[in-house]
């Protein structure tokens, strides 16, 4: 397996930053894990999704428009639970109590994924090897989209900024029906990165989760609303969820300003910076002052902060951002931020266009 080498010899920036962030929590006598803000958000997101499920499957409103709207909102809600509840749980930042993190992480299993697979891919591959071609699964969208200049170029890539968004819509389908199985059976998290050996209870957990998701999301709806209505509703829900999930993930790393790295011939990626500076080079924040996005995206609009402090719950990111900004200024390190989601989105589209056309 290829390796990445950071220059952590004089990691002065991050030690200073960590000290300040630690001091912030100590002085204010708060825990870095979730608080009432997070718990109330969890309650809202879970109640709304249950309510929408009951409406769609059992109540079945007559209006087609209401049904379509509910299915789309359901897809958005799936993504929001992923951003806010599951992501913190899987990083162990939701609560001080381990089993609560486990339960919150498992919301992903109910929604169709596998938190065990996700932890291996996300916490290791993505967080350590952010934007390194061949290591970071998040910059690998298959051959249909070229997200990095070192990925092979195909003729149709020059149109990827046009069809990209449409393909993003299939991400959730792909996840629920393919990716996890591929990882499971090929015993690889991504190419060349082996999946660690699973224990018996993990095998069981994997399969039971899939059965629970398919029962709730496929079998029960088919019984109550019939096959065709289910298929249309599920497709709208999954497509919307896929677009929202993909776009939010892409905006933080795959924009014009973010840096990418590729391994040399020996498979070694040498990053001439300390790890934290490298994270600041490969990651951007967006819409930091928007209350709506900050509530909705579980701190993924503060992706820089998340990458520097993945063990801190996202509810603290707006405050920590101020400390990071100051420290960056002092150490003359660029901290990349798009003022709005729209600007980040535009930049992502320009990036797709440029990378699709580049040699
Ligand atoms: Zn993360």
């Amino acid at each position: 397996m290829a390796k990445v080498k950071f220059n952590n010899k004089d990691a002065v920036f991050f030690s200073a930053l960590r000290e300040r962030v630690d001091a912030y929590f100590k002085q204010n006598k708060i825990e870095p894990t979730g608080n009432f803000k997070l718990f109330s958000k969890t309650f809202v997101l879970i109640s709304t999704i249950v309510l929408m499920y009951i409406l769609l499957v059992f109540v079945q409103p007559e209006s087609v428009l209401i049904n379509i709207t509910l299915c789309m909102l359901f897809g958005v809600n799936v993504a929001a639970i992923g951003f806010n509840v599951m992501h913190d749980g899987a990083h162990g930042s939701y609560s001080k109590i381990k089993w609560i993190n486990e339960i919150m992480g498992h919301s992903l299993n109910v929604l169709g994924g596998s938190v065990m697979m996700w932890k291996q891919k996300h916490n290791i591959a993505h967080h350590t090897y952010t934007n390194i071609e061949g290591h970071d699964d998040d910059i690998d969208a298959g051959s249909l989209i070229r997200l990095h200049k070192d990925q092979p170029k195909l003729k149709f890539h020059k149109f990827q900024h046009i069809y990209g968004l449409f393909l993003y819509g299939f991400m959730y389908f792909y996840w629920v029906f393919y990716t996890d199985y591929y990882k499971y059976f090929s015993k690889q998290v991504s190419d060349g990165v082996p999946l660690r050996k699973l224990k018996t209870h993990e095998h069981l957990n994997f399969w039971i989760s899939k059965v629970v998701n398919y029962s709730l999301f496929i079998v029960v709806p088919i019984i109550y609303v019939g096959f065709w209505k289910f298929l249309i509703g599920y497709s709208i829900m999954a497509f919307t969820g896929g677009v929202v999930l993909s776009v939010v993930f892409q905006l933080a790393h795959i924009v014009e300003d973010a840096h990418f790295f590729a391994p040399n011939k020996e498979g070694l990626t040498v990053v001439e910076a300390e790890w934290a500076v490298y994270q600041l080079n490969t990651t951007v924040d967006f819409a930091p002052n928007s209350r709506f996005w900050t509530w909705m995206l579980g701190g993924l609009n503060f992706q820089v902060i998340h990458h520097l402090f993945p063990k801190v719950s996202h509810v603290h990111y707006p405050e920590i951002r101020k400390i990071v900004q100051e420290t960056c200024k002092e150490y003359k390190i660029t901290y990349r931020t798009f003022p709005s989601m729209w600007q980040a989105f535009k930049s992502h589209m320009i990036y797709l266009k440029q990378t699709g056309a580049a040699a």
Side-chain angles (χ1 to χ4, degrees), residues 55-189:
L55 280 172
L56 281 163
V57 177
F58 303 116
V59 180
Q60 300 170 22
E62 288 212 351
S63 152
V64 176
L65 197 69
I66 290 179
N67 276 299
I68 293 175
T69 312
L70 278 174
C71 288
M72 289 174 80
L73 288 174
F74 197 102
V76 175
N77 209 328
V78 165
I81 290 177
F83 300 148
N84 289 281
V85 181
M86 171 267 163
H87 192 205
D88 273 31
H91 274 294
S93 65
Y94 190 97
S95 161
K96 276 196 293 187
I97 303 161
K98 213 179 156 212
W99 63 265
I100 296 185
N101 285 320
E102 279 300 318
I103 292 183
M104 296 307 159
H106 272 78
S107 57
L108 176 64
N109 296 40
V110 179
L111 300 177
S114 159
V115 70
M116 169 192 71
M117 292 291 182
W118 189 88
K119 275 185 187 172
Q120 294 203 42
K121 165 191 126 88
H122 184 85
N123 293 9
I124 301 162
H126 175 61
H127 271 274
T128 318
Y129 306 131
T130 316
N131 284 13
I132 294 180
E133 158 66 8
H135 290 289
D136 182 0
D137 200 74
D138 280 18
I139 61 160
D140 186 3
S143 53
L144 294 175
I145 298 187
R146 187 179 187 226
L147 291 177
H148 185 280
K149 282 178 189 158
D150 286 319
Q151 290 171 345
K153 187 186 164 180
L154 300 167
K155 268 195 180 143
F156 54 79
H157 283 150
K158 63 173 174 246
F159 303 113
Q160 64 180 10
H161 57 291
I162 299 163
Y163 65 72
L165 212 55
F166 178 72
L167 276 188
Y168 288 168
F170 292 92
M171 184 254 200
Y172 180 76
F173 287 105
Y174 192 63
W175 195 347
V176 175
F177 298 107
Y178 177 74
T179 336
D180 281 343
Y181 296 111
Y182 179 77
K183 291 188 167 107
Y184 186 90
F185 289 110
S186 71
K187 298 193 174 74
Q188 284 189 10
V189 182

